[in-house]
Amino acid sequence: MIKLVACDMAGTTIDEHGDVYVALARCVEETGASTTPEAVQEWMGADKVEAIAALITKGGGNAAPEIVQAAFLRFKELLTHFYEQNPPVALDGVEDAFRSLRGQGVKIAPTTGFSRDVAEPLLARLGWSLAGTGTASDGDGLLDAVVCSDDVAAGRPAPHMIHRAMELTGVTDVREVLAAGDTTNDLKAANNAGVVAVGVLTGKLGRAELSKQPHHHILAGVKDIPALLA
């Protein structure tokens, strides 16, 4: 029986209009390095500092720590601007799915490659709050925990965020955990964590691309998780 669903955020539960791709590519290119859509996609779902460093190196740039940190600050600045211009929204059916799952006693814990100072304002824009911290009108009780890349020693594909979500929600058996995401790094992290690995088709990758990674299920979206568990 599944007791915890750990879902990625951007592209999996949240439609942020692809702005994270644009912000990541631009902050790397502003350092003088080159990028390609394929290279950026490879690092989707990962910790953004790690992604920036790797993309600068791959693009022939200088990935000195101070340059990477400056690029990360620029990434956050760009993303904030993009989100103000075109606010993210919940993907179709996600909030209903979360409510259905929580009604069945399943814990919900978003995990993200964003640092907490990026993730919390994003969740606030959506009105998604932790149980007991909001009101009925702003999604109180929708989430049981939120795990960000700076909460753990390493981001995806390391399993740490999923295991941290288990720690925060009191779930101790990996067989009782389902992790869903729209990128290959999401599936790699789920497999490394030993949990049920579910790919969703609400991001940039199609079924054929996600299916190349070991997985248990490929779904149209998080909205289909309640039916899968039923």
Side-chain angles (χ1 to χ4, degrees):
M1 177 182 175
I2 296 298
K3 294 183 178 179
L4 168 64
V5 170
C7 293
D8 173 53
M9 286 173 48
T12 299
T13 56
I14 301 170
D15 180 4
E16 47 80 67
H17 319 295
D19 286 336
V20 65
Y21 289 81
V22 179
L24 188 57
R26 188 174 298 180
C27 78
V28 169
E29 290 166 357
E30 288 179 359
T31 71
S34 61
T35 65
T36 65
E38 293 77 16
V40 174
Q41 176 62 56
E42 182 182 347
W43 283 92
M44 283 299 103
D47 173 85
K48 296 304 176 284
V49 175
E50 295 174 10
I52 289 167
L55 287 167
I56 290 175
T57 299
K58 188 169 185 176
N62 180 359
E66 63 273 15
I67 292 176
V68 172
Q69 186 59 34
F72 178 56
L73 293 175
R74 177 61 173 153
F75 165 78
K76 292 193 288 185
E77 180 182 79
L78 288 166
L79 200 62
T80 297
H81 173 71
F82 293 154
Y83 284 176
E84 287 174 350
Q85 297 298 310
N86 194 12
V89 296
L91 280 163
D92 180 51
V94 166
E95 292 183 352
D96 287 342
F98 282 176
R99 292 188 182 99
S100 174
L101 290 167
R102 295 205 76 251
Q104 300 169 45
V106 179
K107 304 287 188 181
I108 303 295
T111 63
T112 178
F114 293 148
S115 54
R116 188 160 293 275
D117 60 346
V118 175
E120 287 189 341
L122 176 55
L123 292 171
R125 283 178 181 271
L126 296 168
W128 291 4
S129 59
L130 295 176
T133 62
T135 66
S137 62
D138 74 356
D140 179 48
L142 197 62
L143 310 177
D144 294 284
V146 177
V147 182
C148 302
S149 61
D150 51 353
D151 294 332
V152 293
R156 305 184 189 107
H160 306 326
M161 286 198 290
I162 296 171
H163 289 162
R164 177 61 174 157
M166 293 176 62
E167 180 183 357
L168 290 172
T169 56
V171 177
T172 58
D173 189 340
V174 294
R175 295 170 297 182
E176 297 174 338
V177 181
L178 181 152
D182 65 302
T183 71
T184 57
N185 278 321
D186 292 315
L187 290 176
K188 288 177 181 177
N191 280 290
N192 288 338
V195 304
V196 177
V198 175
V200 295
L201 302 175
T202 45
K204 298 281 188 181
L205 300 182
R207 183 178 298 273
E209 295 160 304
L210 286 176
S211 294
K212 292 177 183 177
Q213 296 297 323
H215 64 279
H216 295 90
H217 306 279
I218 304 291
L219 303 177
V222 166
K223 65 180 181 179
D224 296 321
I225 291 177
L228 173 69
L229 300 189

mmCIF file of all heavy atoms in Angstrom, residues 188-226:
data_model
loop_
_atom_site.group_PDB
_atom_site.id
_atom_site.type_symbol
_atom_site.label_atom_id
_atom_site.label_comp_id
_atom_site.label_asym_id
_atom_site.label_seq_id
_atom_site.Cartn_x
_atom_site.Cartn_y
_atom_site.Cartn_z
ATOM 1 N N LYS A 188 15.473 8.462 -12.359
ATOM 2 C CA LYS A 188 16.719 7.948 -11.793
ATOM 3 C C LYS A 188 16.715 8.063 -10.274
ATOM 4 O O LYS A 188 17.125 7.139 -9.564
ATOM 5 C CB LYS A 188 17.908 8.710 -12.377
ATOM 6 C CG LYS A 188 18.209 8.389 -13.834
ATOM 7 C CD LYS A 188 19.357 9.255 -14.351
ATOM 8 C CE LYS A 188 19.654 8.961 -15.816
ATOM 9 N NZ LYS A 188 20.728 9.858 -16.342
ATOM 10 N N ALA A 189 16.260 9.204 -9.767
ATOM 11 C CA ALA A 189 16.206 9.393 -8.318
ATOM 12 C C ALA A 189 15.257 8.397 -7.665
ATOM 13 O O ALA A 189 15.556 7.838 -6.605
ATOM 14 C CB ALA A 189 15.784 10.822 -7.991
ATOM 15 N N ALA A 190 14.101 8.168 -8.295
ATOM 16 C CA ALA A 190 13.135 7.208 -7.753
ATOM 17 C C ALA A 190 13.730 5.810 -7.700
ATOM 18 O O ALA A 190 13.568 5.086 -6.704
ATOM 19 C CB ALA A 190 11.858 7.223 -8.591
ATOM 20 N N ASN A 191 14.410 5.425 -8.767
ATOM 21 C CA ASN A 191 15.033 4.103 -8.783
ATOM 22 C C ASN A 191 16.167 4.002 -7.761
ATOM 23 O O ASN A 191 16.319 2.980 -7.094
ATOM 24 C CB ASN A 191 15.534 3.786 -10.190
ATOM 25 C CG ASN A 191 14.427 3.312 -11.117
ATOM 26 O OD1 ASN A 191 13.904 2.219 -10.963
ATOM 27 N ND2 ASN A 191 14.032 4.153 -12.057
ATOM 28 N N ASN A 192 16.953 5.066 -7.639
ATOM 29 C CA ASN A 192 18.026 5.061 -6.649
ATOM 30 C C ASN A 192 17.483 5.002 -5.229
ATOM 31 O O ASN A 192 18.137 4.474 -4.329
ATOM 32 C CB ASN A 192 18.903 6.300 -6.823
ATOM 33 C CG ASN A 192 19.770 6.230 -8.069
ATOM 34 O OD1 ASN A 192 20.038 5.156 -8.580
ATOM 35 N ND2 ASN A 192 20.201 7.385 -8.558
ATOM 36 N N ALA A 193 16.276 5.560 -5.043
ATOM 37 C CA ALA A 193 15.654 5.544 -3.710
ATOM 38 C C ALA A 193 14.973 4.216 -3.413
ATOM 39 O O ALA A 193 14.622 3.946 -2.261
ATOM 40 C CB ALA A 193 14.641 6.680 -3.595
ATOM 41 N N GLY A 194 14.746 3.393 -4.432
ATOM 42 C CA GLY A 194 14.099 2.107 -4.226
ATOM 43 C C GLY A 194 12.592 2.172 -4.131
ATOM 44 O O GLY A 194 11.960 1.246 -3.628
ATOM 45 N N VAL A 195 11.997 3.263 -4.642
ATOM 46 C CA VAL A 195 10.546 3.449 -4.549
ATOM 47 C C VAL A 195 9.887 3.165 -5.894
ATOM 48 O O VAL A 195 10.548 2.897 -6.893
ATOM 49 C CB VAL A 195 10.213 4.882 -4.086
ATOM 50 C CG1 VAL A 195 10.915 5.184 -2.765
ATOM 51 C CG2 VAL A 195 10.604 5.925 -5.138
ATOM 52 N N VAL A 196 8.563 3.222 -5.926
ATOM 53 C CA VAL A 196 7.832 3.066 -7.180
ATOM 54 C C VAL A 196 8.103 4.289 -8.061
ATOM 55 O O VAL A 196 7.844 5.427 -7.652
ATOM 56 C CB VAL A 196 6.322 2.926 -6.920
ATOM 57 C CG1 VAL A 196 5.564 2.840 -8.246
ATOM 58 C CG2 VAL A 196 6.047 1.691 -6.065
ATOM 59 N N ALA A 197 8.641 4.075 -9.248
ATOM 60 C CA ALA A 197 9.055 5.156 -10.143
ATOM 61 C C ALA A 197 7.989 5.384 -11.214
ATOM 62 O O ALA A 197 7.682 4.484 -11.999
ATOM 63 C CB ALA A 197 10.385 4.811 -10.802
ATOM 64 N N VAL A 198 7.446 6.599 -11.247
ATOM 65 C CA VAL A 198 6.383 6.940 -12.190
ATOM 66 C C VAL A 198 6.798 8.160 -13.012
ATOM 67 O O VAL A 198 7.111 9.214 -12.460
ATOM 68 C CB VAL A 198 5.060 7.236 -11.453
ATOM 69 C CG1 VAL A 198 3.993 7.715 -12.434
ATOM 70 C CG2 VAL A 198 4.581 5.993 -10.718
ATOM 71 N N GLY A 199 6.792 7.999 -14.324
ATOM 72 C CA GLY A 199 7.023 9.122 -15.209
ATOM 73 C C GLY A 199 5.699 9.725 -15.636
ATOM 74 O O GLY A 199 4.711 9.009 -15.797
ATOM 75 N N VAL A 200 5.672 11.048 -15.790
ATOM 76 C CA VAL A 200 4.453 11.719 -16.254
ATOM 77 C C VAL A 200 4.773 12.518 -17.516
ATOM 78 O O VAL A 200 5.881 13.015 -17.699
ATOM 79 C CB VAL A 200 3.846 12.635 -15.173
ATOM 80 C CG1 VAL A 200 3.367 11.810 -13.993
ATOM 81 C CG2 VAL A 200 4.825 13.702 -14.717
ATOM 82 N N LEU A 201 3.758 12.655 -18.375
ATOM 83 C CA LEU A 201 3.952 13.230 -19.704
ATOM 84 C C LEU A 201 3.550 14.700 -19.778
ATOM 85 O O LEU A 201 3.208 15.198 -20.856
ATOM 86 C CB LEU A 201 3.159 12.413 -20.726
ATOM 87 C CG LEU A 201 3.524 10.933 -20.796
ATOM 88 C CD1 LEU A 201 2.601 10.186 -21.758
ATOM 89 C CD2 LEU A 201 4.984 10.758 -21.209
ATOM 90 N N THR A 202 3.628 15.395 -18.648
ATOM 91 C CA THR A 202 3.232 16.801 -18.619
ATOM 92 C C THR A 202 4.418 17.748 -18.810
ATOM 93 O O THR A 202 4.243 18.965 -18.799
ATOM 94 C CB THR A 202 2.528 17.128 -17.289
ATOM 95 O OG1 THR A 202 3.279 16.537 -16.201
ATOM 96 C CG2 THR A 202 1.119 16.574 -17.269
ATOM 97 N N GLY A 203 5.614 17.197 -18.976
ATOM 98 C CA GLY A 203 6.800 18.011 -19.193
ATOM 99 C C GLY A 203 7.222 18.010 -20.650
ATOM 100 O O GLY A 203 6.402 17.850 -21.558
ATOM 101 N N LYS A 204 8.514 18.156 -20.892
ATOM 102 C CA LYS A 204 9.051 18.246 -22.257
ATOM 103 C C LYS A 204 9.248 16.885 -22.916
ATOM 104 O O LYS A 204 9.307 16.798 -24.134
ATOM 105 C CB LYS A 204 10.395 18.975 -22.229
ATOM 106 C CG LYS A 204 10.333 20.405 -21.728
ATOM 107 C CD LYS A 204 9.842 21.348 -22.786
ATOM 108 C CE LYS A 204 9.972 22.793 -22.336
ATOM 109 N NZ LYS A 204 9.485 23.752 -23.342
ATOM 110 N N LEU A 205 9.365 15.830 -22.112
ATOM 111 C CA LEU A 205 9.698 14.518 -22.649
ATOM 112 C C LEU A 205 8.455 13.687 -22.936
ATOM 113 O O LEU A 205 7.473 13.736 -22.198
ATOM 114 C CB LEU A 205 10.606 13.758 -21.676
ATOM 115 C CG LEU A 205 11.951 14.418 -21.361
ATOM 116 C CD1 LEU A 205 12.757 13.540 -20.420
ATOM 117 C CD2 LEU A 205 12.737 14.704 -22.630
ATOM 118 N N GLY A 206 8.536 12.904 -24.002
ATOM 119 C CA GLY A 206 7.449 12.026 -24.376
ATOM 120 C C GLY A 206 7.622 10.636 -23.782
ATOM 121 O O GLY A 206 8.609 10.332 -23.106
ATOM 122 N N ARG A 207 6.657 9.784 -24.067
ATOM 123 C CA ARG A 207 6.675 8.424 -23.518
ATOM 124 C C ARG A 207 7.930 7.652 -23.934
ATOM 125 O O ARG A 207 8.547 6.960 -23.111
ATOM 126 C CB ARG A 207 5.427 7.674 -23.980
ATOM 127 C CG ARG A 207 5.298 6.261 -23.412
ATOM 128 C CD ARG A 207 4.002 5.609 -23.882
ATOM 129 N NE ARG A 207 2.834 6.345 -23.410
ATOM 130 C CZ ARG A 207 2.263 6.149 -22.236
ATOM 131 N NH1 ARG A 207 2.749 5.246 -21.392
ATOM 132 N NH2 ARG A 207 1.197 6.846 -21.886
ATOM 133 N N ALA A 208 8.323 7.773 -25.189
ATOM 134 C CA ALA A 208 9.479 7.013 -25.676
ATOM 135 C C ALA A 208 10.752 7.417 -24.927
ATOM 136 O O ALA A 208 11.579 6.562 -24.581
ATOM 137 C CB ALA A 208 9.650 7.218 -27.171
ATOM 138 N N GLU A 209 10.904 8.719 -24.677
ATOM 139 C CA GLU A 209 12.107 9.194 -23.993
ATOM 140 C C GLU A 209 12.120 8.780 -22.529
ATOM 141 O O GLU A 209 13.153 8.322 -22.016
ATOM 142 C CB GLU A 209 12.190 10.717 -24.124
ATOM 143 C CG GLU A 209 12.386 11.183 -25.563
ATOM 144 C CD GLU A 209 11.995 12.638 -25.761
ATOM 145 O OE1 GLU A 209 10.841 12.986 -25.446
ATOM 146 O OE2 GLU A 209 12.846 13.407 -26.227
ATOM 147 N N LEU A 210 10.989 8.920 -21.842
ATOM 148 C CA LEU A 210 10.932 8.522 -20.435
ATOM 149 C C LEU A 210 11.078 7.014 -20.276
ATOM 150 O O LEU A 210 11.683 6.534 -19.310
ATOM 151 C CB LEU A 210 9.621 8.988 -19.798
ATOM 152 C CG LEU A 210 9.489 10.482 -19.496
ATOM 153 C CD1 LEU A 210 8.088 10.783 -18.966
ATOM 154 C CD2 LEU A 210 10.543 10.953 -18.499
ATOM 155 N N SER A 211 10.533 6.271 -21.231
ATOM 156 C CA SER A 211 10.544 4.809 -21.121
ATOM 157 C C SER A 211 11.938 4.216 -21.232
ATOM 158 O O SER A 211 12.146 3.044 -20.897
ATOM 159 C CB SER A 211 9.643 4.198 -22.204
ATOM 160 O OG SER A 211 8.288 4.537 -21.974
ATOM 161 N N LYS A 212 12.911 5.000 -21.672
ATOM 162 C CA LYS A 212 14.288 4.515 -21.734
ATOM 163 C C LYS A 212 14.878 4.318 -20.349
ATOM 164 O O LYS A 212 15.845 3.571 -20.183
ATOM 165 C CB LYS A 212 15.146 5.491 -22.535
ATOM 166 C CG LYS A 212 14.800 5.556 -24.015
ATOM 167 C CD LYS A 212 15.642 6.599 -24.737
ATOM 168 C CE LYS A 212 15.252 6.707 -26.204
ATOM 169 N NZ LYS A 212 16.035 7.770 -26.893
ATOM 170 N N GLN A 213 14.297 4.993 -19.360
ATOM 171 C CA GLN A 213 14.750 4.838 -17.982
ATOM 172 C C GLN A 213 13.950 3.734 -17.287
ATOM 173 O O GLN A 213 12.768 3.552 -17.579
ATOM 174 C CB GLN A 213 14.558 6.145 -17.209
ATOM 175 C CG GLN A 213 15.381 7.300 -17.712
ATOM 176 C CD GLN A 213 16.867 7.052 -17.582
ATOM 177 O OE1 GLN A 213 17.336 6.453 -16.609
ATOM 178 N NE2 GLN A 213 17.624 7.501 -18.567
ATOM 179 N N PRO A 214 14.574 2.981 -16.386
ATOM 180 C CA PRO A 214 13.799 2.015 -15.605
ATOM 181 C C PRO A 214 12.644 2.712 -14.896
ATOM 182 O O PRO A 214 12.819 3.799 -14.326
ATOM 183 C CB PRO A 214 14.823 1.479 -14.600
ATOM 184 C CG PRO A 214 16.148 1.678 -15.273
ATOM 185 C CD PRO A 214 16.009 2.962 -16.033
ATOM 186 N N HIS A 215 11.467 2.118 -14.954
ATOM 187 C CA HIS A 215 10.284 2.737 -14.355
ATOM 188 C C HIS A 215 9.242 1.658 -14.083
ATOM 189 O O HIS A 215 9.327 0.548 -14.610
ATOM 190 C CB HIS A 215 9.695 3.794 -15.297
ATOM 191 C CG HIS A 215 9.191 3.237 -16.584
ATOM 192 N ND1 HIS A 215 10.032 2.950 -17.648
ATOM 193 C CD2 HIS A 215 7.941 2.867 -16.989
ATOM 194 C CE1 HIS A 215 9.318 2.448 -18.638
ATOM 195 N NE2 HIS A 215 8.056 2.369 -18.258
ATOM 196 N N HIS A 216 8.228 2.018 -13.298
ATOM 197 C CA HIS A 216 7.108 1.119 -13.048
ATOM 198 C C HIS A 216 5.888 1.504 -13.878
ATOM 199 O O HIS A 216 5.161 0.635 -14.348
ATOM 200 C CB HIS A 216 6.753 1.115 -11.560
ATOM 201 C CG HIS A 216 7.844 0.564 -10.685
ATOM 202 N ND1 HIS A 216 8.833 1.351 -10.133
ATOM 203 C CD2 HIS A 216 8.101 -0.708 -10.284
ATOM 204 C CE1 HIS A 216 9.655 0.590 -9.425
ATOM 205 N NE2 HIS A 216 9.236 -0.651 -9.489
ATOM 206 N N HIS A 217 5.679 2.806 -14.042
ATOM 207 C CA HIS A 217 4.513 3.275 -14.798
ATOM 208 C C HIS A 217 4.853 4.587 -15.506
ATOM 209 O O HIS A 217 5.657 5.367 -15.010
ATOM 210 C CB HIS A 217 3.307 3.526 -13.873
ATOM 211 C CG HIS A 217 2.927 2.357 -13.019
ATOM 212 N ND1 HIS A 217 2.160 1.313 -13.479
ATOM 213 C CD2 HIS A 217 3.224 2.068 -11.725
ATOM 214 C CE1 HIS A 217 2.002 0.427 -12.512
ATOM 215 N NE2 HIS A 217 2.630 0.859 -11.438
ATOM 216 N N ILE A 218 4.209 4.809 -16.651
ATOM 217 C CA ILE A 218 4.211 6.101 -17.323
ATOM 218 C C ILE A 218 2.751 6.545 -17.418
ATOM 219 O O ILE A 218 1.919 5.825 -17.974
ATOM 220 C CB ILE A 218 4.821 6.036 -18.742
ATOM 221 C CG1 ILE A 218 6.247 5.470 -18.704
ATOM 222 C CG2 ILE A 218 4.798 7.426 -19.383
ATOM 223 C CD1 ILE A 218 7.274 6.363 -18.058
ATOM 224 N N LEU A 219 2.452 7.712 -16.854
ATOM 225 C CA LEU A 219 1.085 8.221 -16.828
ATOM 226 C C LEU A 219 0.981 9.527 -17.603
ATOM 227 O O LEU A 219 1.969 10.229 -17.800
ATOM 228 C CB LEU A 219 0.638 8.465 -15.381
ATOM 229 C CG LEU A 219 0.688 7.285 -14.412
ATOM 230 C CD1 LEU A 219 0.275 7.759 -13.015
ATOM 231 C CD2 LEU A 219 -0.218 6.156 -14.887
ATOM 232 N N ALA A 220 -0.243 9.859 -18.000
ATOM 233 C CA ALA A 220 -0.469 11.149 -18.664
ATOM 234 C C ALA A 220 -0.132 12.291 -17.723
ATOM 235 O O ALA A 220 0.385 13.319 -18.150
ATOM 236 C CB ALA A 220 -1.915 11.251 -19.144
ATOM 237 N N GLY A 221 -0.422 12.120 -16.446
ATOM 238 C CA GLY A 221 -0.127 13.170 -15.483
ATOM 239 C C GLY A 221 -0.359 12.715 -14.063
ATOM 240 O O GLY A 221 -0.882 11.610 -13.822
ATOM 241 N N VAL A 222 0.012 13.561 -13.111
ATOM 242 C CA VAL A 222 -0.200 13.275 -11.681
ATOM 243 C C VAL A 222 -1.687 13.061 -11.404
ATOM 244 O O VAL A 222 -2.049 12.307 -10.483
ATOM 245 C CB VAL A 222 0.368 14.426 -10.832
ATOM 246 C CG1 VAL A 222 -0.109 14.347 -9.400
ATOM 247 C CG2 VAL A 222 1.890 14.394 -10.876
ATOM 248 N N LYS A 223 -2.542 13.683 -12.185
ATOM 249 C CA LYS A 223 -3.990 13.526 -11.992
ATOM 250 C C LYS A 223 -4.427 12.068 -12.047
ATOM 251 O O LYS A 223 -5.493 11.713 -11.531
ATOM 252 C CB LYS A 223 -4.748 14.340 -13.045
ATOM 253 C CG LYS A 223 -4.532 13.837 -14.469
ATOM 254 C CD LYS A 223 -5.300 14.670 -15.479
ATOM 255 C CE LYS A 223 -5.088 14.144 -16.898
ATOM 256 N NZ LYS A 223 -5.848 14.942 -17.898
ATOM 257 N N ASP A 224 -3.611 11.202 -12.683
ATOM 258 C CA ASP A 224 -3.993 9.794 -12.844
ATOM 259 C C ASP A 224 -3.468 8.901 -11.714
ATOM 260 O O ASP A 224 -3.737 7.694 -11.722
ATOM 261 C CB ASP A 224 -3.453 9.264 -14.182
ATOM 262 C CG ASP A 224 -4.065 9.978 -15.371
ATOM 263 O OD1 ASP A 224 -5.275 10.272 -15.310
ATOM 264 O OD2 ASP A 224 -3.356 10.239 -16.358
ATOM 265 N N ILE A 225 -2.733 9.467 -10.759
ATOM 266 C CA ILE A 225 -2.184 8.638 -9.685
ATOM 267 C C ILE A 225 -3.270 8.026 -8.806
ATOM 268 O O ILE A 225 -3.176 6.831 -8.451
ATOM 269 C CB ILE A 225 -1.159 9.436 -8.848
ATOM 270 C CG1 ILE A 225 0.087 9.707 -9.692
ATOM 271 C CG2 ILE A 225 -0.777 8.661 -7.582
ATOM 272 C CD1 ILE A 225 1.138 10.541 -8.993
ATOM 273 N N PRO A 226 -4.330 8.749 -8.413
ATOM 274 C CA PRO A 226 -5.371 8.102 -7.596
ATOM 275 C C PRO A 226 -5.959 6.866 -8.267
ATOM 276 O O PRO A 226 -6.180 5.836 -7.608
ATOM 277 C CB PRO A 226 -6.408 9.209 -7.411
ATOM 278 C CG PRO A 226 -5.633 10.472 -7.478
ATOM 279 C CD PRO A 226 -4.589 10.216 -8.541
#
